[in-house]
Amino acid sequence: MPKRREILIGALAAAFGPRLALAKASQPATAVNFDVPAGACDCHTHIHGDPREFPMFPGRVYTPEAALPQEMAQLHKALHMQRVVIVTPSIYGADNAATLWGMKARGNDARGVAVIDDKTSEKDLDAMNAAGIRGIRINLATGGGTGNTADAARQRFQAAAERVKARGWHIQMYTTLPVISSIKDLVLASPVPVVFDHFGRAQASLGTTQPGFADLLGLLRSGKAYVKISGAYRTSTQAPDFADAAPLARALIGANPERVVWGTDWPHPNSEPMPSYGPMDVRPFFSIDDARLLNQLPLWAPDAGVRKLILVDNPARLYGFSA
């Protein structure tokens, strides 16, 4: 009998005939080398379901392979992570069904970040809140639409804040340092917390003096913003440890350790331009050893108490996990 993954690969082949990558999302190849505190949370993951059950957004800019809840559970067992935050990826537009499916598989240990649009009703938001959604994501990097510009960011940020402020949710943004600088006034005045993905897309090669990084640090110090020290491979090209991301991570943690959370970015989808790959061609995932990346955290935050803030206390506050 074919295994479920083989069935999913067949479905992907039927749905996206131009090119099929045929590879699984990576699992840790290294042992975690420090004591991960109880209640630790991976604050940035994605679920990609069977495309027959969870069809992708026609306007997407890339097509990933399947990444299933049971594979995510295997990852977190290896990482000693109890909790997870699942983020709706741009491939689904404003359809959060795959995220909600993944959250249901993890029960009370899961929270989610959704994507919404003008068609998302208040009833929809109520249902998502009951299911454990705690924020909405504005993706200006790979979400298509109006693009990664200051004007787009301001418009979408203000609209998002109005939609979620009554529920106590937060706004998560995937954008660049120049855009973060352009909206810092809105963040400081925001009625809800703001979370920036993946080091605020700072580039490790440019160091801590790169334009806009000081503004990100200032927003952390204000307490109005969080940053995810996640997806270091999106910041650095120095695989496998991405050592040049360490100065950025230390600076962010030093600015305000109570406003930093950690995440894998599993299953590591590749949304970057690839020669001869179109939006409908199924792309291989990046091959990332998440345990090896987690083992960088004690180098970024040598104090165990600070690591507990990043892995346990800050996610509990931001996403509403009970103690």
Side-chain angles (χ1 to χ4, degrees):
M1 292 292 290
K3 296 180 180 179
R4 176 166 172 77
R5 179 139 199 121
E6 293 169 346
I7 293 171
L8 285 177
I9 287 173
L12 280 167
F16 309 112
R19 183 166 302 178
L20 184 65
L22 298 178
K24 294 177 69 173
S26 57
Q27 291 289 338
T30 304
V32 176
N33 63 11
F34 70 100
D35 290 332
V36 177
C41 184
D42 178 353
C43 292
H44 198 102
T45 65
H46 308 289
I47 288 290
H48 308 152
D50 182 335
R52 295 169 299 183
E53 299 176 45
F54 304 101
M56 298 182 196
F57 170 51
R60 65 189 180 278
V61 300
Y62 72 102
T63 298
E65 303 168 79
L68 308 177
Q70 56 266 40
E71 295 176 283
M72 183 183 287
Q74 180 184 351
L75 166 82
H76 289 140
K77 182 177 181 181
L79 297 181
H80 311 295
M81 293 277 157
Q82 175 185 342
R83 295 167 174 167
V84 64
V85 177
I86 303 174
V87 179
T88 297
S90 64
I91 59 166
Y92 290 121
D95 184 348
N96 298 286
T99 293
L100 293 167
W101 174 58
M103 291 166 60
K104 186 176 181 180
R106 290 289 283 269
N108 290 332
D109 286 333
R111 297 290 185 270
V113 178
V115 176
I116 67 171
D117 60 19
D118 293 341
K119 297 178 182 178
T120 308
S121 68
E122 293 301 306
K123 184 178 179 181
D124 293 332
L125 295 179
D126 289 340
M128 287 192 283
N129 187 66
I133 295 292
R134 293 296 179 264
I136 61 171
R137 191 188 199 198
I138 300 173
N139 185 341
L140 296 170
T142 62
T146 53
N148 196 18
T149 67
D151 287 344
R154 295 185 74 85
Q155 292 168 11
R156 294 179 65 181
F157 184 95
Q158 290 171 309
E162 284 301 311
R163 293 297 306 271
V164 305
K165 64 183 182 181
R167 290 176 172 79
W169 291 5
H170 65 271
I171 296 171
Q172 178 178 316
M173 296 192 73
Y174 186 31
T175 189
T176 62
L177 289 176
V179 172
I180 291 171
S181 293
S182 75
I183 63 167
K184 64 182 180 180
D185 60 318
L186 296 182
V187 176
L188 290 171
S190 174
V192 299
V194 181
V195 182
F196 294 109
D197 289 354
H198 307 329
F199 293 80
R201 295 191 74 192
Q203 295 304 301
S205 63
L206 300 179
T208 58
T209 60
Q210 63 191 282
F213 194 69
D215 287 329
L216 178 58
L217 295 178
L219 290 172
L220 294 181
R221 293 188 190 103
S222 76
K224 298 292 291 188
Y226 290 74
V227 68
K228 295 186 179 186
I229 48 173
S230 55
Y233 60 95
R234 300 193 185 279
T235 294
S236 166
T237 59
Q238 294 185 7
D241 293 323
F242 307 100
D244 60 340
L248 299 180
R250 292 180 186 131
L252 293 166
I253 294 166
N256 190 346
E258 294 187 353
R259 291 297 182 269
V260 179
V261 296
W262 181 89
T264 57
D265 193 31
W266 187 92
H268 314 298
N270 185 355
S271 60
E272 300 300 319
M274 294 178 65
S276 78
Y277 276 78
M280 304 302 158
D281 292 317
V282 180
R283 301 177 180 213
F285 293 122
F286 288 119
S287 181
I288 301 294
D289 185 343
D290 286 304
R292 191 160 181 159
L293 263 182
L294 179 58
N295 287 342
Q296 304 311 301
L297 186 59
L299 304 179
W300 300 347
D303 183 84
V306 172
R307 294 198 297 274
K308 182 175 180 291
L309 282 176
I310 293 168
L311 293 173
V312 183
D313 300 338
N314 298 343
R317 180 194 323 115
L318 181 60
Y319 300 104
F321 289 108
S322 58

